[in-house]
Amino acid sequence: MNRYHGRVVAITGAAQGLGLAMATRFAAEGATVALADVNAQALTDAARTITDAHDAKLRTDVVDVTDSAQVNAWITGVTDELGRLDVLINNAGIIRDNRVEDITDDDWHAVIDVSLTGGFHCARAAFGTMKRQGYGRIVSFSSMSWRGNFGQTNYVAAKAGIVGITRTLALEGARHGITANAIAPGLIETPMLASMNGPARDKLTNKVPMRHTGRPEDIAEAAAFLASEAAGYITGIVLDVDGGISIGSSIR
Ligand SMILES: NC(=O)c1ccc[n+]([C@@H]2O[C@H](COP(=O)([O-])OP(=O)(O)OC[C@H]3O[C@@H](n4cnc5c(N)ncnc54)[C@H](O)[C@@H]3O)[C@@H](O)[C@H]2O)c1
């Protein structure tokens, strides 16, 4: 498959987990991939993992998405070097879970800054180029948690915010050939999921109607579709990729 040949795809939080799976998938489909992450060593390792497996053209940048100057410099660097920017994947996100009364100011701001403001910084930086091209795809990471989740006030606020931003970008981008959509993953096997409190993770996994967690490749599949030319009439949606957990009640 070469459907991304000639396309430039920029991904945040690309050094591991879902970001790495998506970078690998886009590279396998012929895209030039710009990987950004705050973790320099993991980013280098990720790029090596991809180039070991694929004949891919990559660019790596150490970027903290909470810093708009770094984000602007990254997007400018990508478009200057690679000539265009077709797809932005707003994937970087963190969790700092706690019951509401135990969430510190730091925990609140850290999660909002990375998972919500970071996505805004990137979309704002990419929008002008996409408008000039008359083409763009923005895929941002929400979560099944966006509807509300115990112990995640900060994360839920960020992930619900991503839904609002996505729907607004969809309206502003529609007449310019830009689509904006969100993916709401369920429980996917990444370092983030591994970092969750074990009993809480097991309890949630038991609620998945399919009775198993998802693989990063399941998310990469959804992202590769939403970011494709073929998905051009789909905009402003939240795509649940979660084994059915968001359906709710599951009587067994
Ligand atoms: N794994 C899941 O089950 C799951 C479920 C729902 C939503 N999500 C969302 O999917 C996205 C990816 O999750 P994951 O499981 O791969 O997480 P992960 O923790 O495995 O990877 C996140 C990556 O983001 C990077 N990152 C963190 N802060 C950053 C910053 N300030 N600037 C740039 N990069 C930064 C990290 O270094 C890391 O490489 C996140 O937005 C997450 O909230 C994941």
Side-chain angles (χ1 to χ4, degrees):
M1 283 202 298
N2 226 12
R3 72 180 150 162
Y4 280 95
H5 181 74
R7 296 287 187 201
V8 175
V9 177
I11 306 177
T12 66
Q16 66 177 38
L18 304 187
L20 175 56
M22 290 185 285
T24 306
R25 174 63 185 259
F26 284 111
E29 293 207 41
T32 299
V33 185
L35 295 89
D37 203 286
V38 76
N39 183 337
Q41 185 56 52
L43 190 59
T44 305
D45 295 346
R48 194 170 312 117
T49 302
I50 296 172
T51 48
D52 281 351
H54 303 283
D55 181 20
K57 184 162 183 219
L58 305 181
R59 174 187 160 113
T60 56
D61 291 84
V62 177
V63 178
D64 180 344
V65 296
T66 66
D67 181 337
S68 64
Q70 288 187 35
V71 168
N72 292 343
W74 172 51
I75 295 293
T76 303
V78 169
T79 47
D80 284 354
E81 185 200 337
L82 305 173
R84 48 188 301 117
L85 176 57
D86 299 290
V87 177
L88 168 67
I89 308 282
N90 275 324
N91 167 72
I94 59 170
I95 47 173
R96 299 241 185 125
D97 295 353
N98 231 326
R99 290 169 194 241
V100 63
E101 66 270 31
D102 296 322
I103 291 185
T104 63
D105 288 356
D106 273 359
D107 290 343
W108 173 265
H109 289 297
V111 170
I112 297 290
D113 287 354
V114 179
S115 312
L116 179 63
T117 311
F120 161 69
H121 286 157
C122 295
R124 181 177 62 182
F127 222 72
T129 300
M130 291 181 171
K131 253 181 170 174
R132 278 191 296 281
Q133 292 170 169
Y135 184 88
R137 300 276 182 267
I138 299 174
V139 177
S140 301
F141 274 76
S142 182
S143 163
M144 67 175 185
S145 296
W146 80 271
R147 299 170 179 89
N149 199 19
F150 193 96
Q152 291 196 313
T153 316
N154 45 3
Y155 189 71
V156 168
K159 295 304 187 179
I162 286 290
V163 172
I165 288 178
T166 295
R167 290 167 59 89
T168 303
L169 294 178
L171 288 175
E172 294 191 14
R175 80 199 69 164
H176 303 289
I178 302 170
T179 68
N181 293 293
I183 292 177
L187 298 166
I188 316 293
E189 292 295 342
T190 68
M192 178 183 281
L193 186 65
S195 75
M196 259 180 91
N197 159 300
R201 194 176 57 224
D202 293 346
K203 210 166 149 189
L204 272 173
T205 306
N206 285 334
K207 290 186 180 164
V208 180
M210 287 186 187
R211 296 196 166 193
H212 61 85
T213 51
R215 299 163 306 137
E217 292 74 17
D218 296 322
I219 301 299
E221 185 72 42
F225 169 65
L226 279 181
S228 70
E229 255 180 88
Y233 205 56
I234 301 173
T235 198
I237 69 157
V238 183
L239 181 61
D240 295 307
V241 186
D242 64 2
I245 195 170
S246 59
I247 297 165
S249 157
S250 153
I251 300 165
R252 303 203 181 104

